[in-house]
Amino acid sequence: APETLTSQRLLAGVYGNMGQNAAQERLLVACLAEYRKLHGENHLETANTLRELGVLYLTRKEYEKADVALTKSLAIVRKLETEPAGDTVIGLWVLGGNYVMLGKYSLAEKAILEAIEHCRAWLGPDHSLLGMLDVFLAPTYQMQGKLPEPVTIHRRSLTAAQRMLRTDHPLVTPYRS
């Protein structure tokens, strides 16, 4: 039943928070198989479970396995969303982060820029999530030797953080100088 699968995925998250990655993986793989039986490959629950597996592999530094899961998840989401929204933005963002870990900086840049573009269209040009996405874009430019883009991006991120938080907030203050 779908309710049981939801509970199993939530339990998998608890296992992940406890550092029990093997138990988390077992549950997610089992949920993925059941979602595929229930709904087929092209369903949002299948995509979300694949993304959760990808994030697990990313945290375990299994970047190639993460790449496979995250790429499949994003492909499903792109088929399902009529206009790119949250699942597309998150999928691109996580995939971009995995590309950074694989040293594929141009692919990371492309994925994160696309996430920013979709986020801007979906939530508007001043949404705080844009600043968070920018934080992940700057290192891709740095690693490719594209300077001074990272400075500009970090300043834009700081401006977004200041809009969300007070200018004297501990997360903002170290970056003001």
Side-chain angles (χ1 to χ4, degrees), residues 64-171:
E64 295 297 335
K65 286 173 88 172
D67 188 39
V68 170
L70 295 170
T71 301
K72 283 182 183 177
S73 172
L74 184 58
I76 294 167
V77 166
R78 285 181 190 272
K79 288 178 189 174
L80 297 175
E81 286 187 341
T82 55
E83 290 184 22
D87 288 311
T88 300
V89 170
I90 293 167
L92 286 164
W93 173 45
V94 176
L95 185 60
N98 192 59
Y99 285 149
V100 168
M101 301 312 292
L102 285 166
K104 298 178 178 181
Y105 303 113
S106 62
L107 289 175
E109 175 186 353
K110 182 181 174 194
I112 295 167
L113 283 172
E114 189 178 345
I116 289 169
E117 175 188 325
H118 292 316
C119 186
R120 190 173 284 122
W122 177 46
L123 298 172
D126 296 323
H127 197 276
S128 59
L129 182 57
L130 288 167
M132 193 167 80
L133 291 168
D134 272 344
V135 167
F136 289 91
L137 181 60
T140 68
Y141 286 137
Q142 278 178 277
M143 298 309 287
Q144 294 176 82
K146 295 181 178 181
L147 302 172
E149 284 95 337
V151 173
T152 303
I153 292 168
H154 282 304
R155 286 188 178 140
R156 196 169 57 218
S157 296
L158 175 61
T159 301
Q162 287 173 330
R163 273 196 311 268
M164 278 186 351
L165 308 167
R166 306 178 317 272
T167 55
D168 63 342
H169 190 280
L171 292 176

Side-chain angles (χ1 to χ4, degrees), residues 15-81:
Y15 282 142
N17 291 335
M18 294 169 54
Q20 295 181 18
N21 294 335
Q24 180 185 19
E25 182 179 19
R26 275 192 307 277
L27 275 175
L28 288 175
V29 168
C31 287
L32 182 60
E34 288 301 314
Y35 281 129
R36 284 176 167 153
K37 280 186 214 171
L38 276 172
H39 305 296
E41 188 67 22
N42 294 318
H43 192 273
L44 189 58
E45 296 298 342
T46 302
N48 288 338
T49 305
L50 277 165
R51 186 177 62 226
E52 290 169 21
L53 265 171
V55 169
L56 168 64
Y57 296 141
L58 183 59
T59 61
R60 290 186 353 196
K61 298 180 170 81
E62 296 177 34
Y63 305 123
E64 295 297 335
K65 286 173 88 172
D67 188 39
V68 170
L70 295 170
T71 301
K72 283 182 183 177
S73 172
L74 184 58
I76 294 167
V77 166
R78 285 181 190 272
K79 288 178 189 174
L80 297 175
E81 286 187 341

